[in-house]
Amino acid sequence: MTQLFIAQVHTPTGPRPLVTVRAAAEGEARLFLEAHYPDDTIGAVVEPGEWISDADTGSEAGDIREHPGVSWQAPAGSGS
């Protein structure tokens, strides 16, 4: 079973919009992101807390989606 993670991803020219990834655990999510964005820097990868989206966030392991217009913001209490 997968769970949703949100990620902070930076290109060489600046941040991407909020990125979501489906994975079994944080380590797996990071691996999917590193493979998908080999030239980018992967920052925080965390569970989304109370963040809710009406956009498609996928359902299968490895589903990665960008959410244009949504900026990274650490979930409350995550410390990131």
Side-chain angles (χ1 to χ4, degrees):
M1 181 168 182
T2 64
Q3 54 189 21
L4 184 66
F5 292 89
I6 58 174
Q8 185 178 32
V9 181
H10 290 274
T11 71
T13 59
R16 289 190 180 276
L18 182 72
V19 175
T20 57
V21 58
R22 292 278 176 176
E26 179 186 337
E28 183 180 59
R30 190 170 289 279
L31 290 173
F32 287 138
L33 291 163
E34 289 170 351
H36 192 80
Y37 298 112
D39 298 325
D40 295 351
T41 302
I42 309 303
V45 177
V46 298
E47 292 183 43
E50 295 182 17
W51 179 77
I52 298 172
S53 174
D54 58 0
D56 182 10
T57 57
S59 60
E60 301 295 322
D63 281 346
I64 295 173
R65 310 290 164 96
E66 289 188 22
H67 300 271
V70 181
S71 299
W72 166 261
Q73 183 175 352
S78 74
S80 295

